[in-house]
Amino acid sequence: GILVDFGQEVFGFIHLAFKCIKNSKFSISYSEMLKNGVVDFRKAGMDYRDQIIAPADEFTWNSYEKRALRYLFIDDPDLEILSLEIKEYGYPYSRCGSSIGNDPAELKRKIFDVSARTIEICSDDLLNDCPWRERTQYLDPYSYFGSMKRLFGTLEPARKFLRQFARGAGNSAPMPMCYPSPRNTTVIPDFVLTYAVALKKYLDLSGDIETVKECFEVSERTVEHFLSYEDKDGLLSNVPGWIFLDNSFDLCRKGKSSGLNATYAGALNSLAGTAELLGNHEKAAE
């Protein structure tokens, strides 16, 4: 077949113009790395490829959804490619030249470039923790809010990200699962607790009181939901849902989780700090 290397991770719509010399049925497969020298389109139970049926003729094909990849493989060696492009799609950041600083060291420049590129391809309609699969609203991106501000001089994608969580939660407590979710699972406890931490971090970086006021009630309601799972020691115990921090077969996922309780403590501290900054001293003390 035909193997294409784009030289780096790309994220966008595939645009392919091709000519079939005969009636053809072929697949376009995608991966971020080669496995034993070939593209492996199977990842986390997914079939990460597009399949095309075409008679002998010239055609233009555009992918239905955005694809994340470095490598692309077409399993028809007789196909004539007329053109192949990735139309990248994401938030229109402008990099801040001053963020690199005055240090001319090549390594430092590469680190800044890779960091900026990573955030760029993870900023779709919403923020993603990676472009490949976890497309929507996982809370990992809060960890790069500071980098976003320094590299691009904006926190607008972070504001949109947090407001979307609050709107999507509605009256639910805790906040429902983001996409994609495991079967029969509706809540990731550590992620919904992390929302309070993300909101406080956003406030510290932006000073945007109005957005935080809008989202605070959802954050407060979500964290307070877990009070009912505290044991006599004040620790969370036997919390239902998918505890993502313990997503390892080597760890016991039942009973008390140190990672989840650390996140809980962080959420409570963040709620208190946010309430204080919003002028609600009684709630902060509580």
Side-chain angles (χ1 to χ4, degrees):
I2 302 163
L3 177 66
V4 180
D5 178 3
F6 284 90
Q8 63 176 327
E9 182 86 359
V10 293
F11 180 51
F13 294 98
I14 313 293
H15 292 254
L16 172 66
F18 63 95
K19 181 178 181 180
C20 295
I21 62 173
K22 63 182 187 307
N23 293 344
S24 300
K25 178 180 179 181
F26 61 91
S27 295
I28 306 175
S29 305
Y30 315 99
S31 69
E32 294 176 302
M33 63 185 69
L34 296 179
K35 190 173 181 179
N36 298 321
V38 300
V39 169
D40 183 1
F41 59 83
R42 298 177 182 88
K43 182 175 182 180
M46 295 183 8
D47 191 333
Y48 206 58
R49 60 180 174 171
D50 292 300
Q51 300 187 64
I52 298 173
I53 300 173
D57 206 342
E58 290 187 10
F59 293 94
T60 299
W61 175 83
N62 303 320
S63 63
Y64 176 74
E65 61 180 319
K66 296 175 287 295
R67 295 296 193 179
L69 65 138
R70 172 175 171 172
Y71 299 98
L72 177 153
F73 180 70
I74 300 174
D75 63 358
D76 184 348
D78 298 323
L79 194 73
E80 181 182 349
I81 296 179
L82 305 178
S83 66
L84 175 61
E85 295 178 298
I86 299 285
K87 298 292 187 182
E88 289 211 309
Y89 177 96
Y91 187 83
Y93 289 113
S94 295
R95 295 191 189 183
C96 299
S98 60
S99 65
I100 294 177
N102 298 319
D103 186 350
E106 184 64 20
L107 178 59
K108 184 176 180 181
R109 289 184 176 275
K110 286 182 177 178
I111 290 171
F112 274 104
D113 284 343
V114 169
S115 300
R117 174 68 178 163
T118 299
I119 295 175
E120 285 169 345
I121 63 175
C122 287
S123 299
D124 193 6
D125 297 319
L126 296 165
L127 297 181
N128 311 317
D129 72 340
C130 65
W132 217 96
R133 177 171 183 263
E134 275 78 27
R135 297 284 177 87
T136 309
Q137 292 293 92
Y138 272 52
L139 265 160
D140 313 50
Y142 93 91
S143 64
Y144 60 68
F145 284 179
S147 299
M148 179 190 292
K149 184 177 181 181
R150 185 174 182 191
L151 290 165
F152 306 111
T154 183
L155 283 169
E156 180 58 26
R159 186 182 77 89
K160 181 181 178 184
F161 178 71
L162 292 167
R163 292 182 72 236
Q164 176 66 15
F165 261 115
R167 288 198 306 270
N171 294 320
S172 301
M175 287 186 293
M177 182 70 179
C178 33
Y179 168 84
S181 61
R183 192 174 299 165
N184 301 321
T185 301
T186 58
V187 171
I188 300 182
D190 38 315
F191 271 19
V192 296
L193 287 168
T194 298
Y195 182 80
V197 182
L199 197 63
K200 175 63 164 57
K201 185 168 186 176
Y202 172 78
L203 180 58
D204 291 343
L205 290 167
S206 68
D208 180 4
I209 291 286
E210 292 308 312
T211 294
V212 174
K213 280 182 179 177
E214 176 186 339
C215 301
F216 182 73
E217 182 183 351
V218 170
S219 175
E220 178 186 23
R221 189 171 67 239
T222 288
V223 175
E224 288 182 342
H225 167 82
F226 290 91
L227 289 170
S228 62
Y229 295 102
E230 287 185 4
D231 64 13
K232 59 182 178 58
D233 298 316
L235 295 173
L236 296 183
S237 181
N238 296 312
V239 174
W242 178 24
I243 299 178
F244 199 80
L245 285 164
D246 294 349
N247 194 26
S248 167
F249 294 111
D250 299 323
L251 295 176
C252 175
R253 305 187 198 186
K254 297 180 180 179
K256 299 176 185 178
S257 160
S258 58
L260 182 61
N261 275 286
T263 306
Y264 185 46
L268 289 167
N269 282 324
S270 295
L271 269 186
T274 303
E276 190 71 42
L277 290 170
L278 292 178
N280 193 337
H281 308 298
E282 183 178 344
K283 178 58 69 175
E286 179 189 333

